[in-house]
Amino acid sequence: SFGPQDSINREQIAAIISRAMQLQGKGTGTDENNTASLGQFADQHNISSWARSGVAFAVENQIVMGRGNAQFAPLATATRAEAAAMILRMYKQL
């Protein structure tokens, strides 16, 4: 379900932004088997399989950063500040 009133987590917003950028022909493509950039995160195993390529794309294009201590925190709710920073970084690349 779409869940328009639901909170959004970090992997979800990274995937949305990645798809939006790719639709605009921006950034470098990341296929689902090339997610080496996720290796920097100790919790990479917590990133859902459907979101891995989108998160990798967002990381490679410096749209999303980790939360410190080598953690991506994919299932944590994105704060308003994180969402704003991701959108601004995306906007600067468009």
Side-chain angles (χ1 to χ4, degrees):
S1 67
F2 181 63
Q5 302 301 318
D6 293 350
S7 298
I8 191 166
N9 66 35
R10 290 172 47 81
E11 71 179 13
Q12 291 168 334
I13 195 166
I16 290 168
I17 286 174
S18 297
R19 290 177 188 147
M21 287 185 70
Q22 289 173 11
L23 285 172
Q24 293 297 311
K26 304 296 180 182
T28 59
T30 302
D31 80 33
E32 56 193 53
N33 298 316
N34 185 17
T35 56
S37 61
L38 301 180
Q40 65 185 295
F41 302 114
D43 61 348
Q44 68 167 314
H45 60 279
N46 292 332
I47 300 171
S48 301
S49 60
W50 62 266
R52 290 184 71 76
S53 64
V55 171
F57 179 94
V59 168
E60 290 165 10
N61 287 281
Q62 300 178 335
I63 302 298
V64 63
M65 313 299 177
R67 279 200 167 167
N69 295 326
Q71 300 292 309
F72 182 76
L75 303 178
T77 301
T79 66
R80 291 172 63 101
E82 287 173 324
M86 290 180 212
I87 292 167
L88 178 61
R89 291 182 198 124
M90 177 190 74
Y91 179 74
K92 287 181 177 181
Q93 291 189 33
L94 294 179

